[in-house]
Amino acid sequence: MSTLNGAAAAAGRPVLVTDVLRERIVEGELPPGTPLRDVALSAELGVSRNTLREALRTLHDEGLVVQQLHKGTAVKTLAAEDVTDIYLARRTLELSAVDASPLAPEPLLDAMEAKVAAAELAVDIEAWDKVGTASLRFHQSLVALLGSARLDGFFRVTIAQLRLAFAVMADQGAFQAPWVARDREICDLIRGGRRMDATAALRLYLDESERMVLDAVRASSRTTPTTRTRTARTTSSTSTTRTTPTTTAAKGKR
């Protein structure tokens, strides 16, 4: 779990709190809908409530949390339009990174390969949350080949948003595992200097991933209200049955 160290906690800088909470989203520790209680979080992180609230405002601006009057702050549940925008950004940056890969320094290429290896290891032990995180880190390291701190900062937010989109998948293992082999393929093509093949593989990867995530997000948005309605009806029916007068003994049991 990402935490603040003692010096950072003492300083109470909102940017550090923002980074910690964003990383928890990337790591799957804060799924969509999770309430972010300022009293509890400020105590846990060792910062003032004002500092925490400033961090939460930043996360709101980044599209990672929602804030509602009298209801507090919660991790955002993404809609289909969010997913479409995320994948537009991914195509723009990741495909550009493949094109720029011949100019990337060797340590950045090594880092990219290390992220793939971490994802493969997580698959071997069926640690699906770690698989998802490592795969996202691979794509983050791919964008890092562009050598731009500004783009790195932008994509750091993008992968957090992407993790929220992935959270709707009912079976994380079935969803995550197949992509790791494709991450490996893209990595090997880049390292082998086969940029055109890497570009084609990545474009197909992003197209298929977007369609899969969009289908899941749309299905989730359709089924959730229905489920709530059915639950409400069942609860109402049960409540009516239980409140029907019967005997004194029955009333005593209630």
Side-chain angles (χ1 to χ4, degrees):
M1 178 183 290
S2 302
T3 58
L4 292 175
N5 60 36
R13 295 174 55 191
V15 65
L16 295 175
V17 181
T18 303
D19 288 345
V20 166
L21 294 177
R22 190 191 305 109
E23 285 301 292
R24 290 184 181 182
I25 291 173
V26 172
E27 293 165 5
E29 296 174 13
L30 297 175
T34 303
L36 301 174
R37 311 294 187 193
D38 56 355
V39 174
L41 278 174
S42 60
E44 177 191 347
L45 299 176
V47 298
S48 71
R49 291 175 68 183
N50 285 338
T51 294
L52 181 68
R53 287 168 181 165
E54 187 174 343
L56 293 177
R57 283 194 293 271
T58 300
L59 293 174
H60 175 269
D61 292 342
E62 293 178 351
L64 296 174
V65 305
V66 291
Q67 295 177 312
Q68 295 179 303
L69 189 63
H70 307 308
K71 291 186 178 181
T73 303
V75 180
K76 185 176 180 178
T77 298
L78 298 192
E81 55 267 27
D82 297 311
V83 174
T84 301
D85 197 34
I86 289 168
Y87 276 85
L88 175 59
R90 291 191 70 185
R91 285 186 184 87
T92 301
L93 294 181
E94 293 189 45
L95 292 172
S96 295
V98 173
D99 188 55
S101 61
L103 303 178
E106 197 68 19
L108 290 182
L109 294 169
D110 291 341
M112 179 183 66
E113 186 154 9
K115 298 301 186 295
V116 176
E120 292 169 334
L121 179 60
V123 169
D124 289 342
I125 62 174
E126 299 185 358
W128 302 121
D129 278 348
K130 293 184 183 298
V131 172
T133 301
S135 182
L136 289 171
R137 300 292 189 204
F138 163 70
H139 291 275
Q140 185 177 16
S141 68
L142 176 58
V143 171
L145 299 182
L146 290 167
S148 168
R150 287 179 175 83
L151 293 178
D152 287 344
F154 172 82
F155 204 70
R156 190 157 44 242
V157 175
T158 301
I159 65 165
Q161 294 171 338
L162 193 57
R163 186 57 182 257
L164 295 181
F166 289 169
V168 302
M169 297 298 178
D171 188 337
Q172 286 294 317
F175 171 67
Q176 295 288 356
W179 300 109
V180 175
R182 298 175 72 170
D183 288 342
R184 167 58 70 186
E185 177 192 15
I186 292 165
C187 177
D188 288 347
L189 288 171
I190 291 172
R191 300 222 68 170
R194 298 169 59 188
R195 290 190 308 283
M196 292 183 64
D197 291 337
T199 297
L202 178 58
R203 192 181 297 278
L204 180 62
Y205 179 117
L206 294 174
D207 288 348
E208 292 180 3
S209 177
E210 180 180 20
R211 286 194 290 268
M212 187 177 294
V213 175
L214 276 173
D215 284 344
V217 167
R218 285 170 176 155
S220 177
S221 66
R222 286 196 303 269
T223 58
T224 300
T226 302
T227 302
R228 287 175 180 169
T229 300
R230 288 175 179 171
T231 301
R233 288 174 180 170
T234 302
T235 303
S236 176
S237 176
T238 303
S239 176
T240 301
T241 301
R242 289 179 176 174
T243 56
T244 301
T246 51
T247 64
T248 303
K251 290 179 182 179
K253 290 180 181 178
R254 289 197 299 274

